[in-house]
C-alpha cells in the first residue's frame, strides 16, 4: 500500500476496532456484576482491585459526607463552602488521633467548650428543630463524664459557654454581662437541659436584637457617626413599647417586636420627635446600642 504517494511501502498497525474489542473484553471480565445496591467487591481471589463504592464505605466517607450535607441543610448557611470547610476541620480536630486522647480520657474543658460552641452556632435559632438538635449535642459534649469527673453540665461550664457565645457574636460587653447575670447558674450547680437551652437561645436572641438595633441607628445617623438625640429617643421608646411589659418566658418572642416596629410606626414616632421645638443633643452608636440592649435585658426572665 502506498503512503502519501511517496512510493514507500510499510506495514500498518492493527485496526483500531480490533484493539477496542480486545479492551472491552478485558474490561467486561474485570467489571463487577450489576446489583441493585452499591457495587460488590471483585474479591481478592480474582486479583481485582477494590471498587470505588467499597472503598468509600470502608473508609466511612459515605456516612461522613451524608452527615455533612444534612448539617448544611439544617443550618442553611450563607456560605455553604466555608461552612463545610469549617465542619471538616472541626471533625479532624475532634478526632482522638488528632489530639492524642485515649479512649479512657475525654478532652478537657477548653476543647469541650470549643466543640460545644461550634455545635450551637451551626444552625440559626429560627430553625428550631436543627437548633434544638445542636443544643442537645453541645449539652452532651459539655456533660460527658470521665475518670476524674461525673457526667453532667455544671454552672461553670454553662456560664463560660454563654460568655463565649456573646463574645464571638460581638455583643456589647455591658449588655452581655447583664444578661449573664440573669441566666447564669452557680458554678457547682447541675444545669438541666431546659435551662441550658434557654440560656443559649437568649444569648443568640440578644445578638440578633443588637444587630437590628445597630441597623436602626445606621438609618438614623445617615453615615455621620452620630444621630439626633430626639430621633434616637423616639426609636428607643418604640422599641420598649414593642417589647411589651413584663417578662416573656420564651426569648424568641422578643423578636416579634420587629412586627410592631413597622415603617409606619417608626415614621410616626420620628415625625413627632422632629416636631418638637427643643433641640436634642446628638447620640453616638455606642450609647444607642447600650440603651437598646438594656431594654432587651430588662425583659429577660431570670433563671430561678
Amino acid at each position: 500500500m502506498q503512503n502519501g504517494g511517496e512510493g514507500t511501502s510499510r506495514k500498518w498497525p492493527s485496526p483500531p476496532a480490533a484493539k477496542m474489542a480486545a479492551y472491552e473484553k478485558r474490561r467486561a471480565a474485570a467489571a463487577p456484576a450489576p446489583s441493585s445496591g452499591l457495587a460488590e467487591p471483585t474479591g481478592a481471589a480474582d486479583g481485582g482491585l477494590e471498587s470505588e463504592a467499597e472503598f468509600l464505605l470502608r473508609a466511612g466517607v459515605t456516612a461522613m459526607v451524608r452527615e455533612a450535607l444534612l448539617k448544611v441543610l439544617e443550618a442553611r448557611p450563607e456560605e455553604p463552602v466555608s461552612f463545610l470547610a469549617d465542619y471538616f476541620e472541626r471533625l479532624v480536630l475532634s478526632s482522638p488521633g488528632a489530639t492524642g486522647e485515649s479512649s479512657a480520657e475525654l478532652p478537657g474543658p477548653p476543647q469541650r467548650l470549643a466543640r460545644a460552641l461550634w455545635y450551637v452556632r451551626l444552625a440559626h435559632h429560627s430553625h428550631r428543630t436543627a437548633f434544638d438538635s445542636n443544643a442537645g449535642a453541645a449539652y452532651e459534649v459539655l456533660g460527658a463524664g470521665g475518670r476524674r469527673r461525673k457526667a453532667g453540665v455544671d454552672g461553670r461550664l454553662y456560664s463560660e459557654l454563654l460568655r463565649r457565645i456573646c463574645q464571638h457574636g460581638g455583643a456589647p460587653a455591658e449588655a452581655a454581662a447583664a444578661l449573664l447575670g440573669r441566666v447564669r447558674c452557680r458554678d457547682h450547680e447541675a444545669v438541666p437541659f431546659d435551662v441550658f437551652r434557654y440560656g443559649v437561645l437568649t444569648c443568640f436572641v440578644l445578638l440578633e436584637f443588637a444587630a437590628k438595633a445597630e441597623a436602626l441607628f445606621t438609618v438614623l445617623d445617615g453615615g455621620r457617626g452620630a444621630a439626633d438625640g430626639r430621633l434616637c429617643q423616639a426609636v428607643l421608646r418604640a422599641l420598649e413599647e414593642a417589647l411589651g411589659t413584663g417578662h416573656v418566658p420564651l426569648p424568641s418572642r422578643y423578636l416579634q417586636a420587629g412586627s410592631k416596629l413597622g415603617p409606619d410606626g417608626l415614621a410616626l414616632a420620628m415625625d413627632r420627635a422632629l416636631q418638637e421645638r427643643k433641640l436634642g443633643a446628638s447620640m453616638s452608636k455606642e450609647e444607642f446600642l447600650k440603651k437598646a440592649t438594656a431594654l432587651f435585658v430588662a425583659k429577660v426572665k431570670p433563671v430561678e
Side-chain angles (χ1 to χ4, degrees), residues 95-298:
S95 63
T99 57
E101 299 158 11
S102 64
S103 58
E105 188 65 25
L106 294 169
Q111 291 79 16
R112 286 188 282 125
L113 279 166
R115 193 173 180 186
L117 178 63
W118 176 69
Y119 269 121
V120 296
R121 296 178 67 190
L122 278 177
H124 191 269
H125 58 80
S126 61
H127 304 148
R128 183 170 180 178
T129 301
F131 181 83
D132 288 352
S133 175
N134 293 332
Y139 186 80
E140 290 181 1
V141 167
L142 286 183
R147 290 187 302 185
R148 297 187 179 94
R149 64 186 300 273
K150 295 181 179 179
V153 178
D154 57 35
R156 181 178 60 85
L157 288 175
Y158 163 71
S159 299
E160 178 60 21
L161 177 64
L162 299 186
R163 188 191 68 79
R164 293 192 182 195
I165 292 173
C166 295
Q167 183 182 36
H168 282 257
E174 189 170 345
L179 178 65
L180 293 180
R182 299 179 76 86
V183 299
R184 72 190 315 166
C185 298
R186 295 183 180 89
D187 289 352
H188 64 276
E189 287 182 325
V191 181
F193 177 71
D194 58 342
V195 173
F196 178 86
R197 179 188 177 278
Y198 175 80
V200 170
L201 178 59
T202 304
C203 288
F204 279 111
V205 176
L206 169 66
L207 296 178
E208 187 163 347
F209 189 87
K212 291 182 181 296
E214 185 173 0
L216 283 174
F217 184 83
T218 302
V219 175
L220 296 176
D221 76 337
R224 296 186 301 271
D228 190 305
R230 296 171 299 173
L231 296 179
C232 292
Q233 291 295 344
V235 172
L236 289 171
R237 285 195 296 269
L239 277 173
E240 186 174 16
E241 292 174 2
L243 286 172
T245 58
H247 296 140
V248 184
L250 296 178
S252 57
R253 294 181 185 174
Y254 298 148
L255 294 181
Q256 295 177 0
S259 62
K260 302 178 182 179
L261 289 173
D264 295 340
L266 280 177
L268 182 61
M270 294 168 65
D271 184 61
R272 287 198 300 263
L274 289 173
Q275 289 178 0
E276 297 179 3
R277 294 184 178 181
K278 61 180 180 179
L279 296 177
S282 62
M283 184 179 293
S284 65
K285 181 175 72 174
E286 291 72 18
E287 184 180 358
F288 181 82
L289 291 179
K290 178 180 177 181
K291 292 178 179 294
T293 52
L295 293 174
F296 171 85
V297 173

Side-chain angles (χ1 to χ4, degrees), residues 15-147:
K19 285 189 174 183
M20 290 299 296
Y23 170 76
E24 290 295 335
K25 185 177 181 180
R26 293 194 303 268
R27 184 170 178 267
S35 63
S36 58
L38 294 172
E40 296 293 334
T42 57
D46 299 333
L49 296 177
E50 183 181 32
S51 69
E52 293 89 343
E54 184 186 27
F55 167 76
L56 294 177
L57 286 173
R58 179 178 59 79
V61 175
T62 302
M64 188 188 309
V65 172
R66 184 186 296 114
E67 181 68 20
L69 293 178
L70 288 175
K71 288 297 182 184
V72 172
L73 292 175
E74 289 179 354
R76 301 183 184 273
E78 296 181 359
E79 299 181 0
V81 175
S82 299
F83 177 90
L84 285 172
D86 184 62
Y87 175 85
F88 285 116
E89 181 182 2
R90 294 283 183 178
L91 201 62
V92 171
L93 293 177
S94 62
S95 63
T99 57
E101 299 158 11
S102 64
S103 58
E105 188 65 25
L106 294 169
Q111 291 79 16
R112 286 188 282 125
L113 279 166
R115 193 173 180 186
L117 178 63
W118 176 69
Y119 269 121
V120 296
R121 296 178 67 190
L122 278 177
H124 191 269
H125 58 80
S126 61
H127 304 148
R128 183 170 180 178
T129 301
F131 181 83
D132 288 352
S133 175
N134 293 332
Y139 186 80
E140 290 181 1
V141 167
L142 286 183
R147 290 187 302 185

